[in-house]
PDB file of all heavy atoms in Angstrom:
ATOM      1  N   THR A  27       1.338   6.964 -13.479  1.00 77.00           N
ATOM      2  CA  THR A  27       0.871   7.913 -12.477  1.00 77.00           C
ATOM      3  C   THR A  27       1.560   7.633 -11.140  1.00 77.00           C
ATOM      4  O   THR A  27       1.882   6.502 -10.827  1.00 77.00           O
ATOM      5  CB  THR A  27      -0.652   7.806 -12.286  1.00 77.00           C
ATOM      6  OG1 THR A  27      -0.977   6.451 -12.027  1.00 77.00           O
ATOM      7  CG2 THR A  27      -1.401   8.283 -13.501  1.00 77.00           C
ATOM      8  N   CYS A  28       1.732   8.683 -10.385  1.00 82.00           N
ATOM      9  CA  CYS A  28       2.357   8.557  -9.072  1.00 82.00           C
ATOM     10  C   CYS A  28       1.414   7.804  -8.142  1.00 82.00           C
ATOM     11  O   CYS A  28       0.221   8.071  -8.094  1.00 82.00           O
ATOM     12  CB  CYS A  28       2.643   9.957  -8.518  1.00 82.00           C
ATOM     13  SG  CYS A  28       3.214   9.930  -6.812  1.00 82.00           S
ATOM     14  N   LYS A  29       1.980   6.847  -7.399  1.00 80.00           N
ATOM     15  CA  LYS A  29       1.135   6.052  -6.508  1.00 80.00           C
ATOM     16  C   LYS A  29       0.682   6.860  -5.293  1.00 80.00           C
ATOM     17  O   LYS A  29      -0.268   6.505  -4.623  1.00 80.00           O
ATOM     18  CB  LYS A  29       1.921   4.830  -6.022  1.00 80.00           C
ATOM     19  CG  LYS A  29       1.993   3.739  -7.052  1.00 80.00           C
ATOM     20  CD  LYS A  29       2.764   2.564  -6.500  1.00 80.00           C
ATOM     21  CE  LYS A  29       3.448   1.813  -7.617  1.00 80.00           C
ATOM     22  NZ  LYS A  29       4.426   0.850  -7.109  1.00 80.00           N
ATOM     23  N   LYS A  30       1.444   7.918  -5.001  1.00 84.00           N
ATOM     24  CA  LYS A  30       1.120   8.695  -3.800  1.00 84.00           C
ATOM     25  C   LYS A  30       0.112   9.799  -4.058  1.00 84.00           C
ATOM     26  O   LYS A  30      -0.853   9.936  -3.337  1.00 84.00           O
ATOM     27  CB  LYS A  30       2.406   9.281  -3.210  1.00 84.00           C
ATOM     28  CG  LYS A  30       3.166   8.266  -2.397  1.00 84.00           C
ATOM     29  CD  LYS A  30       3.886   8.947  -1.253  1.00 84.00           C
ATOM     30  CE  LYS A  30       4.335   7.912  -0.230  1.00 84.00           C
ATOM     31  NZ  LYS A  30       5.321   8.471   0.687  1.00 84.00           N
ATOM     32  N   CYS A  31       0.401  10.624  -5.101  1.00 87.00           N
ATOM     33  CA  CYS A  31      -0.467  11.777  -5.324  1.00 87.00           C
ATOM     34  C   CYS A  31      -1.261  11.685  -6.622  1.00 87.00           C
ATOM     35  O   CYS A  31      -2.103  12.521  -6.891  1.00 87.00           O
ATOM     36  CB  CYS A  31       0.340  13.067  -5.285  1.00 87.00           C
ATOM     37  SG  CYS A  31       1.427  13.281  -6.693  1.00 87.00           S
ATOM     38  N   GLY A  32      -0.983  10.659  -7.426  1.00 82.00           N
ATOM     39  CA  GLY A  32      -1.753  10.486  -8.646  1.00 82.00           C
ATOM     40  C   GLY A  32      -1.325  11.386  -9.790  1.00 82.00           C
ATOM     41  O   GLY A  32      -1.926  11.369 -10.858  1.00 82.00           O
ATOM     42  N   SER A  33      -0.267  12.151  -9.575  1.00 84.00           N
ATOM     43  CA  SER A  33       0.209  13.048 -10.615  1.00 84.00           C
ATOM     44  C   SER A  33       0.856  12.261 -11.750  1.00 84.00           C
ATOM     45  O   SER A  33       1.419  11.197 -11.543  1.00 84.00           O
ATOM     46  CB  SER A  33       1.222  14.026 -10.024  1.00 84.00           C
ATOM     47  OG  SER A  33       1.885  14.709 -11.059  1.00 84.00           O
ATOM     48  N   THR A  34       0.756  12.807 -12.958  1.00 82.00           N
ATOM     49  CA  THR A  34       1.398  12.151 -14.097  1.00 82.00           C
ATOM     50  C   THR A  34       2.720  12.831 -14.429  1.00 82.00           C
ATOM     51  O   THR A  34       3.360  12.493 -15.412  1.00 82.00           O
ATOM     52  CB  THR A  34       0.483  12.190 -15.336  1.00 82.00           C
ATOM     53  OG1 THR A  34       0.075  13.521 -15.570  1.00 82.00           O
ATOM     54  CG2 THR A  34      -0.731  11.304 -15.152  1.00 82.00           C
ATOM     55  N   ALA A  35       3.100  13.821 -13.601  1.00 86.00           N
ATOM     56  CA  ALA A  35       4.356  14.532 -13.831  1.00 86.00           C
ATOM     57  C   ALA A  35       5.523  13.727 -13.274  1.00 86.00           C
ATOM     58  O   ALA A  35       6.032  13.994 -12.197  1.00 86.00           O
ATOM     59  CB  ALA A  35       4.283  15.904 -13.180  1.00 86.00           C
ATOM     60  N   LEU A  36       5.917  12.688 -14.023  1.00 85.00           N
ATOM     61  CA  LEU A  36       7.014  11.846 -13.585  1.00 85.00           C
ATOM     62  C   LEU A  36       8.197  12.046 -14.511  1.00 85.00           C
ATOM     63  O   LEU A  36       8.028  12.234 -15.698  1.00 85.00           O
ATOM     64  CB  LEU A  36       6.593  10.376 -13.618  1.00 85.00           C
ATOM     65  CG  LEU A  36       5.354  10.000 -12.808  1.00 85.00           C
ATOM     66  CD1 LEU A  36       5.024   8.540 -13.049  1.00 85.00           C
ATOM     67  CD2 LEU A  36       5.566  10.242 -11.335  1.00 85.00           C
ATOM     68  N   GLN A  49      10.692   9.506 -10.768  1.00 89.00           N
ATOM     69  CA  GLN A  49      10.406  10.347  -9.611  1.00 89.00           C
ATOM     70  C   GLN A  49       9.267  11.288  -9.943  1.00 89.00           C
ATOM     71  O   GLN A  49       9.227  11.871 -11.027  1.00 89.00           O
ATOM     72  CB  GLN A  49      11.639  11.153  -9.216  1.00 89.00           C
ATOM     73  CG  GLN A  49      11.379  12.004  -7.978  1.00 89.00           C
ATOM     74  CD  GLN A  49      12.614  12.753  -7.537  1.00 89.00           C
ATOM     75  OE1 GLN A  49      13.342  13.301  -8.354  1.00 89.00           O
ATOM     76  NE2 GLN A  49      12.854  12.784  -6.239  1.00 89.00           N
ATOM     77  N   CYS A  50       8.347  11.415  -9.020  1.00 89.00           N
ATOM     78  CA  CYS A  50       7.223  12.325  -9.190  1.00 89.00           C
ATOM     79  C   CYS A  50       7.739  13.736  -8.916  1.00 89.00           C
ATOM     80  O   CYS A  50       8.336  13.991  -7.876  1.00 89.00           O
ATOM     81  CB  CYS A  50       6.118  11.963  -8.210  1.00 89.00           C
ATOM     82  SG  CYS A  50       4.736  13.108  -8.219  1.00 89.00           S
ATOM     83  N   THR A  51       7.512  14.628  -9.875  1.00 91.00           N
ATOM     84  CA  THR A  51       8.008  15.995  -9.692  1.00 91.00           C
ATOM     85  C   THR A  51       7.096  16.787  -8.762  1.00 91.00           C
ATOM     86  O   THR A  51       7.451  17.851  -8.293  1.00 91.00           O
ATOM     87  CB  THR A  51       8.125  16.723 -11.043  1.00 91.00           C
ATOM     88  OG1 THR A  51       6.865  16.668 -11.696  1.00 91.00           O
ATOM     89  CG2 THR A  51       9.187  16.081 -11.910  1.00 91.00           C
ATOM     90  N   ALA A  52       5.914  16.273  -8.509  1.00 90.00           N
ATOM     91  CA  ALA A  52       4.970  16.980  -7.648  1.00 90.00           C
ATOM     92  C   ALA A  52       5.260  16.726  -6.166  1.00 90.00           C
ATOM     93  O   ALA A  52       5.322  17.650  -5.371  1.00 90.00           O
ATOM     94  CB  ALA A  52       3.546  16.569  -7.985  1.00 90.00           C
ATOM     95  N   CYS A  53       5.449  15.445  -5.808  1.00 92.00           N
ATOM     96  CA  CYS A  53       5.619  15.143  -4.381  1.00 92.00           C
ATOM     97  C   CYS A  53       6.969  14.499  -4.058  1.00 92.00           C
ATOM     98  O   CYS A  53       7.222  14.112  -2.928  1.00 92.00           O
ATOM     99  CB  CYS A  53       4.478  14.252  -3.892  1.00 92.00           C
ATOM    100  SG  CYS A  53       4.571  12.559  -4.484  1.00 92.00           S
ATOM    101  N   ARG A  54       7.818  14.360  -5.075  1.00 89.00           N
ATOM    102  CA  ARG A  54       9.172  13.826  -4.884  1.00 89.00           C
ATOM    103  C   ARG A  54       9.197  12.335  -4.559  1.00 89.00           C
ATOM    104  O   ARG A  54      10.234  11.804  -4.194  1.00 89.00           O
ATOM    105  CB  ARG A  54       9.926  14.585  -3.771  1.00 89.00           C
ATOM    106  CG  ARG A  54      10.071  16.059  -4.045  1.00 89.00           C
ATOM    107  CD  ARG A  54      11.208  16.327  -4.991  1.00 89.00           C
ATOM    108  NE  ARG A  54      11.163  17.711  -5.461  1.00 89.00           N
ATOM    109  CZ  ARG A  54      11.827  18.125  -6.522  1.00 89.00           C
ATOM    110  NH1 ARG A  54      12.572  17.299  -7.220  1.00 89.00           N
ATOM    111  NH2 ARG A  54      11.761  19.357  -6.901  1.00 89.00           N
ATOM    112  N   TYR A  55       8.068  11.685  -4.653  1.00 86.00           N
ATOM    113  CA  TYR A  55       8.028  10.245  -4.401  1.00 86.00           C
ATOM    114  C   TYR A  55       8.678   9.541  -5.577  1.00 86.00           C
ATOM    115  O   TYR A  55       8.422   9.873  -6.726  1.00 86.00           O
ATOM    116  CB  TYR A  55       6.578   9.806  -4.241  1.00 86.00           C
ATOM    117  CG  TYR A  55       6.391   8.298  -4.116  1.00 86.00           C
ATOM    118  CD1 TYR A  55       6.782   7.628  -2.959  1.00 86.00           C
ATOM    119  CD2 TYR A  55       5.819   7.570  -5.147  1.00 86.00           C
ATOM    120  CE1 TYR A  55       6.598   6.261  -2.843  1.00 86.00           C
ATOM    121  CE2 TYR A  55       5.634   6.201  -5.036  1.00 86.00           C
ATOM    122  CZ  TYR A  55       6.031   5.557  -3.887  1.00 86.00           C
ATOM    123  OH  TYR A  55       5.848   4.213  -3.778  1.00 86.00           O
ATOM    124  N   PHE A  59       8.060   2.381 -11.768  1.00 67.00           N
ATOM    125  CA  PHE A  59       6.711   2.327 -12.332  1.00 67.00           C
ATOM    126  C   PHE A  59       6.786   1.600 -13.667  1.00 67.00           C
ATOM    127  O   PHE A  59       6.818   2.213 -14.698  1.00 67.00           O
ATOM    128  CB  PHE A  59       6.163   3.726 -12.592  1.00 67.00           C
ATOM    129  CG  PHE A  59       6.021   4.579 -11.358  1.00 67.00           C
ATOM    130  CD1 PHE A  59       7.014   5.469 -11.002  1.00 67.00           C
ATOM    131  CD2 PHE A  59       4.882   4.499 -10.582  1.00 67.00           C
ATOM    132  CE1 PHE A  59       6.867   6.268  -9.881  1.00 67.00           C
ATOM    133  CE2 PHE A  59       4.733   5.294  -9.467  1.00 67.00           C
ATOM    134  CZ  PHE A  59       5.728   6.174  -9.102  1.00 67.00           C
TER     135      PHE A  59
HETATM  136 ZN1   ZN B  30       3.490  12.252  -6.492  1.00 52.90          ZN
END
Side-chain angles (χ1 to χ4, degrees):
T27 53
C28 172
K29 282 181 209 168
K30 280 213 165 165
C31 70
S33 168
T34 53
L36 304 175
Q49 182 177 43
C50 175
T51 55
C53 72
R54 301 279 168 197
Y55 174 71
F59 298 96

